[in-house]
Amino acid sequence: MARSEPVDAVFVHGLFSAGRTWDRFAHLVATDPDFSGRVRTHLFEYPSPRFSFRPDRRIATADDIADRLGTYLRHELGESSSILLVTHSQGGLITQRFLARTLWRGEGESLARIKQVVMFACPNDGSEFFLGIRKWWYPNNPQEAQLRPFDTAIVETQRTLFRAVVNATGVSESTCRIPIAAYGGLQDRIVPPRSSAWLFHNSGMVDGDHFSIIQPEDSASSSYRVLRGHVLDVLNQGGAPSVATSETVVEKPDAGRPAVSVTPRLDGLPKLYGRSKLVASIVYDRQSKVHVLGGIGGSGKSRIALEVAARAKKAGHRVWWIEVPRINLSMREVANQLGAPRDEAETAWYAGPRSAADLLWRLLDATGEPWLLVFDNADDPQLLDPTTKQVSDGTGWLRKPASPHGRVLVTSRDRSRATWGDWATVHAVPPLDPDDGASMLTERVPDGGTSQEARDLAVALGGLPLALHAAAQYLNAVIRDHAGSGPPSITGFRSYRAAFELRLKDTGGSDSESLGLGIVAEVFILSLDLLAARRQPWAASLLKLLACFQIAPIPYHMLFTSLSLTETPLLTDFEATSDQDYLPALDALADLGLVELQRVAGVADPDLGRMLTLHPLVHSVMRQDQDVLERRDDYYGLDIEMLLAATAVHDPDQPESWTVWNKVITHSVELTKAYLLGGPPPTDRRLVAAALRLAKSSTRYLIATGILNPGSDLVESLIANCGRFRFDQDDPEILGLRHERGRIALERDQPLAAEEELAKVVAARQRVLGDDDPDTLASMHKHAKAIAEQGRWAEAEPLLRRIVDAEQTVRGPEHSDMMVVKHSLARTVLALKRAPEAERMLRDILEVRLRLWSGRHPETLSVRRTLANSLLAQGELGRAEAELADALRVVADDRHAREALALRYSLCLVRVSLGTVEEKDLAILVDDQAKAYGSQHPVTNRTRRLLARLRRELRPSARSDDASLE
């Protein structure tokens, strides 16, 4: 139903510009017959000079202009209930900053009347165009400074928008879901497409350069057509926002949480042969909400799923693509995109897969827009329900959507209907018939031979799309590189089939799965033989080396440049003269379709932006290669050493390192398990010790980011089976894992269990390493902390003082570990009623932390909270309130983070004592804590009791029972 009230379209110009730049747009809107009397246009102007020549005037900052936009909307359009913001260039950043600052002030509900935001040529990751000249020409212009790539203000703003606007599920003080669309110009060099499409789901391209993009010639111009579509969306009470026709895959790092890409890569999909009926049976099925594509490896299940995903995306559905081997992190990212508060998600994932799945499906079923969730490569269905191992129960990651808008698609080798349950429709994916296979070959290799020869080769290759694709890649490489230089042994379809059938004679297995695997394996081997003949000795060994990693995107550039490959045990295979020899080998593997090289859009760091993937069958075949099985130490050992070298300078406990660790964590966990617990027991003690060091660092990262279950599984399995690789429970490497086991118990609020384990670790480390070894001191600290967490403060104090004294000389007075131990000691002193002493200690700690670390660091915020508690204990209520309020301003964009929740509770306590606390603030805090910790968690119950006491005090007639309250 159309809106009865008009839409107010507000146009915001860019840097060094003015409102007149919108004249053509405004004229077209005003004369559009469909908008007659229904759309009002407004020009928001702000001063944007290049220089300021008057000493009594300054150039306004982006924050100033953002606040002016808020004032304009509040006072000059105060009566409007439906606003559309249209921006150009810097105007998009101004608008984003306005949205973020409004949310930081807790005024999210005031944004509800903004129905959509449409941005043209917005430099969402900054503009590099004439960057050096701009800095020189306009050195003191604060507006130009914010256009520089990855400006801190831009990143800070977009973190808020991603969480609280783009992926919000409703309207609250700190969230407001507003559709945002971003369009770039095809000829724009000032703000290239990767920048204009950064972050936002709805992104696309229109005609024009940076300036002509907002100066449409007439109503047929592409920029006006897309704006017109958005205006109609709002007038029609917003059906789905207009969906752009192009997409950029972006992984935007967030130091506060691990993230993976769950966006399907739909650009440039190859033609799909012989699958139209199967695709239609899924797309047009209105009865079943869950579909399973079952077939042997190489049959093209993933390509069919991509086709379904592309059609869903085109129809305006949200689409998530889950690589099942990375299912925990992937589903966590889906929850984030659905607007789950970070700490509610952390609590759910901390509690285990069932709790995490419950949260995710609650969010999925609550969304009102159509969506498709794809689980790719679910060859081990138990990964979809790790709790019960029974996928058919529908209680794990895979469930039947309750929402009428939701659909699920799974690809798997398992075609058993019993596995998936009667609520899922299983589609068998057959091989391509000979004619479709021949069409695929002849279209891809026009000079490969006759149609009948192509048909015969398709039959020989079992109609497997993966094998056909690899054969086509091979033949194209041969024909292209050998043209005019004499015939090679394989020249086309007929000779390829002859060579293939000769190799296949000895392939074992007669069932379809084994035969299919054998066919694909022989195709791969033919391709590797071609590379060997072309003097690419690295290729085969590199492929086997990559296959020992987990089946997930591999940050190959970061790994291969982390150490000298020419000094490894595989040197005789590689025959390398330079560490850069891997580059042409990888290009050659990609040319034959054995690997896929990717650049992650929006990631400037080449170490993080260059990724590689292997098809699951390539991964499986190469991992089981006889050479890999016989030389496990060489292959797995080199992978482990590369991971250790790549992460050596990235402390897993520090948030600034988490972006790197997120890229490798799946590989490091699975690689250590595969090497230490899979296959024959390893005997190289040096490599075993390296694998255990990698396992320890991986566990530290998982603990730091709140992903406790995988960390616990890793350390428990390695500790329990350490005898398998000839290590003892008291060997230093195993003691390191036992230390992490104690830390996990502390994080799970199990201080007694932590104390018992850590006491044993301390005794063993003192015996093996000595009293003042850094590892011994670390275990002593966690042991003392476990004692303190049980309220035995007097017992903990001397232990902590002993550690502080030792750390002065072991790691120094300003080491991060020293700061953490000092904070534990200050908390203990405060608990022992010596608040002035604790305050002095805390101010010393805070001075160092603010000098050496970020003010947003969780430990820094925790120190500030303890400082406020020390002031409260001394009756310094005003100073305590000021300290907490200032700390909260640091995390104003993330009020649901655990550090923020703790600060908010302390601030409420102070204001209770001052008599200024608002009942609604406590009520909101109870709700937020219930989401983050659980409704019956001690932290939530403590705040609930404080709220109950406040309500009784506000209602004197009620019976008082304060004695039982804190």
Side-chain angles (χ1 to χ4, degrees):
M1 183 172 72
R3 292 183 180 277
S4 57
E5 69 275 14
V7 171
D8 288 283
V10 179
F11 292 86
V12 185
H13 64 76
L15 182 72
F16 306 153
S17 186
R20 63 179 178 274
T21 60
W22 294 106
D23 286 351
R24 291 186 182 176
F25 257 128
H27 172 72
L28 289 172
V29 170
T31 57
D32 194 314
D34 288 341
F35 298 161
S36 178
R38 304 169 67 200
V39 180
R40 299 180 297 214
T41 59
H42 310 268
L43 303 180
F44 172 71
E45 297 207 56
Y46 59 90
S48 184
R50 290 174 172 80
F51 307 99
S52 177
F53 296 104
R54 292 182 53 172
D56 61 329
R57 289 188 177 181
R58 68 182 182 90
I59 298 176
T61 67
D63 284 349
D64 297 331
I65 302 168
D67 290 343
R68 175 69 184 95
L69 176 58
T71 303
Y72 175 87
L73 295 177
R74 186 166 56 252
H75 293 285
E76 299 184 43
L77 293 179
E79 301 301 318
S80 176
S81 61
S82 182
I83 295 174
L84 171 68
L85 294 176
V86 186
T87 73
H88 176 238
S89 192
Q90 177 187 253
L93 298 180
I94 296 295
T95 299
Q96 293 178 43
R97 195 69 173 169
F98 153 68
L99 296 174
R101 287 172 67 82
T102 303
L103 292 168
W104 294 340
R105 292 193 298 268
E107 299 172 1
E109 294 171 351
S110 69
L111 298 176
R113 62 198 184 113
I114 299 175
K115 304 306 177 184
Q116 286 194 38
V117 177
V118 181
M119 301 188 300
F120 290 100
C122 179
N124 287 300
D125 65 348
S127 174
E128 298 177 355
F129 187 76
F130 284 161
L131 177 60
I133 296 176
R134 287 184 359 233
K135 289 180 178 180
W136 184 66
W137 279 349
Y138 317 118
N140 300 313
N141 191 308
Q143 295 176 26
E144 183 283 324
Q146 197 179 51
L147 289 181
R148 295 172 188 173
F150 294 99
D151 175 78
T152 302
I154 296 178
V155 176
E156 178 187 46
T157 298
Q158 292 177 345
R159 282 190 62 189
T160 298
L161 260 65
F162 186 78
R163 174 188 58 80
V165 176
V166 176
N167 295 311
T169 56
V171 179
S172 68
E173 288 185 346
S174 57
T175 64
C176 184
R177 180 168 177 77
I178 303 172
I180 300 179
Y183 296 94
L186 283 174
Q187 299 164 300
D188 192 345
R189 291 188 61 192
I190 296 177
V191 179
R194 62 170 175 79
S195 181
S196 60
W198 175 264
L199 183 69
F200 301 103
H201 300 305
N202 291 337
S203 60
M205 303 301 298
V206 294
D207 297 325
D209 58 27
H210 189 68
F211 304 102
S212 63
I213 190 175
I214 60 164
Q215 296 176 357
E217 292 291 335
D218 51 40
S219 59
S221 298
S222 59
S223 58
Y224 181 71
R225 290 203 308 271
V226 298
L227 177 63
R228 188 175 189 276
H230 288 286
V231 175
L232 289 173
D233 284 340
V234 178
L235 286 171
N236 294 326
Q237 293 195 336
S242 298
V243 178
T245 57
S246 64
E247 172 181 278
T248 300
V249 179
V250 173
E251 282 193 29
K252 186 167 187 290
D254 181 348
R257 61 173 173 81
V260 296
S261 175
V262 291
T263 303
R265 290 183 291 114
L266 303 177
D267 291 335
L269 290 178
K271 181 178 177 180
L272 189 63
Y273 296 86
R275 305 300 195 191
S276 56
K277 290 183 179 179
L278 181 53
V279 171
S281 69
I282 298 171
V283 171
Y284 299 113
D285 185 350
R286 296 292 177 259
Q287 301 301 316
S288 180
K289 294 183 179 180
V290 179
H291 294 264
V292 179
L293 289 167
I296 65 173
S299 59
K301 302 180 294 294
S302 296
R303 176 62 186 90
I304 298 169
L306 283 168
E307 187 70 21
V308 175
R311 297 194 185 190
K313 189 77 173 177
K314 186 176 181 180
H317 297 205
R318 295 187 73 177
V319 180
W320 296 284
W321 188 273
I322 309 301
E323 294 286 352
V324 171
R326 304 190 79 190
I327 193 167
N328 284 288
L329 287 176
S330 297
M331 299 301 265
R332 172 76 174 271
E333 178 61 15
V334 174
N336 290 328
Q337 292 190 16
L338 287 168
R342 190 180 77 187
D343 281 287
E344 185 175 359
E346 285 181 359
T347 301
W349 261 256
Y350 159 83
R354 176 60 55 80
S355 176
D358 287 344
L359 170 62
L360 178 74
W361 277 95
R362 187 167 68 249
L363 294 169
L364 282 171
D365 287 331
T367 185
E369 56 187 325
W371 53 265
L372 172 68
L373 181 66
V374 182
F375 294 99
D376 191 35
N377 294 326
D379 296 330
D380 181 2
Q382 291 184 356
L383 293 176
L384 296 173
D385 194 340
T387 304
T388 68
K389 312 297 183 185
Q390 295 293 324
V391 180
S392 58
D393 290 345
T395 57
W397 292 119
L398 176 61
R399 304 183 183 187
K400 181 180 180 180
S403 165
H405 308 291
R407 306 281 290 280
V408 180
L409 180 60
V410 184
T411 71
S412 176
R413 295 186 196 178
D414 191 327
R415 289 161 281 180
S416 171
R417 298 184 184 277
T419 298
W420 306 105
D422 57 7
W423 42 275
T425 299
V426 179
H427 305 266
V429 180
L432 291 179
D433 67 36
D435 291 329
D436 286 324
S439 296
M440 179 178 177
L441 287 171
T442 55
E443 288 187 29
R444 295 190 179 189
V445 192
D447 299 325
T450 68
S451 176
Q452 184 58 45
E453 288 171 343
R455 194 177 192 279
D456 293 340
L457 178 56
V459 172
L461 296 179
L464 295 175
L466 180 62
L468 294 168
H469 171 74
Q473 295 282 94
Y474 180 107
L475 290 170
N476 276 321
V478 168
I479 294 170
R480 179 185 66 239
D481 296 344
H482 286 270
S485 60
S489 59
I490 298 177
T491 59
F493 300 140
R494 178 186 294 180
S495 53
Y496 188 98
R497 177 170 65 88
F500 168 76
E501 289 178 340
L502 184 63
R503 298 197 63 110
L504 193 62
K505 284 183 178 179
D506 297 328
T507 300
S510 58
D511 62 281
S512 61
E513 185 71 35
S514 298
L515 182 59
L517 191 63
I519 289 173
V520 174
E522 294 306 320
V523 169
F524 295 159
I525 292 170
L526 278 174
S527 297
L528 292 176
D529 286 347
L530 176 64
L531 293 179
R534 292 183 171 181
R535 305 184 63 80
Q536 289 286 358
W538 279 49
S541 294
L542 271 183
L543 193 60
K544 298 169 191 175
L545 189 69
L546 293 164
C548 293
F549 286 108
Q550 170 67 307
I551 181 65
I554 301 168
Y556 70 91
H557 186 73
M558 179 173 67
L559 295 175
F560 287 163
T561 58
S562 64
L563 49 78
S564 176
L565 297 180
T566 59
E567 299 175 1
T568 70
L570 292 173
L571 174 61
T572 54
D573 294 336
F574 288 173
E575 298 177 7
T577 59
S578 165
D579 283 324
Q580 297 301 310
D581 282 0
Y582 78 86
L583 293 171
L586 284 183
D587 288 339
L589 288 169
D591 191 40
L592 291 179
L594 297 173
V595 303
E596 183 177 353
L597 304 179
Q598 306 158 14
R599 287 290 186 97
V600 181
V603 178
D605 187 344
D607 283 350
L608 302 179
R610 297 182 185 179
M611 306 294 284
L612 175 150
T613 57
L614 285 77
H615 188 281
L617 266 187
V618 178
H619 181 267
S620 176
V621 169
M622 292 295 108
R623 206 176 210 194
Q624 295 304 313
D625 183 84
Q626 191 62 32
D627 186 41
V628 174
L629 297 177
E630 292 175 355
R631 302 178 61 186
R632 284 173 54 83
D633 284 354
D634 289 343
Y635 284 101
Y636 283 89
L638 180 52
D639 282 346
I640 289 168
E641 289 182 356
M642 284 193 293
L643 283 167
L644 283 172
T647 57
V649 297
H650 300 286
D651 186 344
D653 294 322
Q654 301 302 322
E656 55 267 25
S657 298
W658 293 350
T659 301
V660 170
W661 271 99
N662 173 54
K663 299 293 184 185
V664 302
I665 187 63
T666 300
H667 300 294
S668 62
V669 170
E670 295 304 320
L671 192 64
T672 52
K673 283 185 176 180
Y675 178 63
L676 296 173
L677 304 179
T683 57
D684 188 326
R685 186 175 180 85
R686 181 188 63 84
L687 285 179
V688 170
L692 293 171
R693 290 198 303 275
L694 181 60
K696 178 184 176 182
S697 295
S698 302
T699 305
R700 288 171 56 197
Y701 166 74
L702 293 169
I703 293 173
T705 53
I707 310 174
L708 299 184
N709 287 316
S712 179
D713 291 343
L714 178 60
V715 298
E716 293 295 345
S717 61
L718 295 178
I719 293 170
N721 295 285
C722 64
R724 183 179 190 273
F725 39 86
R726 301 181 182 180
F727 271 61
D728 185 79
Q729 293 269 336
D730 285 350
D731 278 339
E733 293 83 1
I734 302 301
L735 286 173
L737 296 180
R738 292 175 59 190
H739 171 87
E740 302 306 324
R741 177 162 68 182
R743 288 184 63 202
I744 290 172
L746 270 176
E747 292 293 323
R748 286 177 165 167
D749 198 23
Q750 300 168 348
L752 182 58
E755 180 190 359
E756 292 176 356
E757 177 67 10
L758 289 165
K760 297 174 185 176
V761 174
V762 168
R765 279 185 158 175
Q766 287 175 325
R767 184 174 64 254
V768 175
L769 303 174
D771 289 349
D772 290 340
D773 184 89
D775 288 342
T776 304
L777 294 173
S779 294
M780 290 172 64
H781 172 224
K782 297 303 179 185
H783 177 241
K785 188 174 180 180
I787 292 172
E789 292 294 331
Q790 298 173 65
R792 292 152 51 197
W793 304 103
E795 187 179 344
E797 182 182 7
L799 298 176
L800 291 167
R801 289 194 181 279
R802 156 79 177 84
I803 302 167
V804 168
D805 291 342
E807 288 283 20
Q808 292 285 348
T809 55
V810 173
R811 277 184 281 207
E814 294 187 350
H815 191 276
S816 60
D817 288 354
M818 168 67 106
M819 293 296 101
V820 174
V821 177
K822 280 188 170 182
H823 184 200
S824 295
L825 178 58
R827 290 181 63 243
T828 301
V829 168
L830 178 60
L832 291 170
K833 312 297 185 185
R834 306 201 310 264
E837 180 185 352
E839 181 189 351
R840 290 192 296 273
M841 296 171 65
L842 290 161
R843 292 198 182 280
D844 289 342
I845 297 167
L846 193 58
E847 185 277 325
V848 176
R849 291 211 64 88
L850 291 176
R851 177 159 43 87
L852 300 180
W853 288 278
S854 165
R856 292 183 65 96
H857 194 289
E859 178 65 16
T860 304
L861 294 170
S862 181
V863 170
R864 297 190 69 175
R865 178 171 178 255
T866 309
L867 174 60
N869 288 340
S870 72
L871 295 170
L872 179 61
Q874 298 175 74
E876 298 279 356
L877 302 182
R879 293 172 63 203
E881 181 184 30
E883 180 69 32
L884 291 166
D886 187 62
L888 270 171
R889 277 191 285 272
V890 175
V891 288
D893 60 335
D894 201 354
R895 293 169 54 85
H896 295 91
R898 293 202 175 202
E899 307 85 47
L901 291 172
L903 289 167
R904 288 166 60 190
Y905 174 76
S906 293
L907 184 59
C908 285
L909 274 181
V910 172
R911 288 176 174 169
V912 165
S913 299
L914 288 170
T916 59
V917 71
E918 294 286 341
E919 181 182 343
K920 70 171 185 177
D921 291 339
L922 267 174
I924 292 171
L925 179 57
V926 169
D927 289 341
D928 291 345
Q929 288 177 334
K931 293 175 182 176
Y933 301 105
S935 62
Q936 297 305 314
H937 191 279
V939 169
T940 308
N941 284 330
R942 180 181 61 184
T943 310
R944 190 178 286 119
R945 290 195 297 270
L946 183 63
L947 175 61
R949 186 179 76 185
L950 177 66
R951 285 171 171 167
R952 277 193 290 273
E953 290 174 352
L954 294 174
R955 299 169 179 81
S957 59
R959 182 176 62 86
S960 177
D961 189 22
D962 288 353
S964 64
L965 301 175
E966 295 179 0

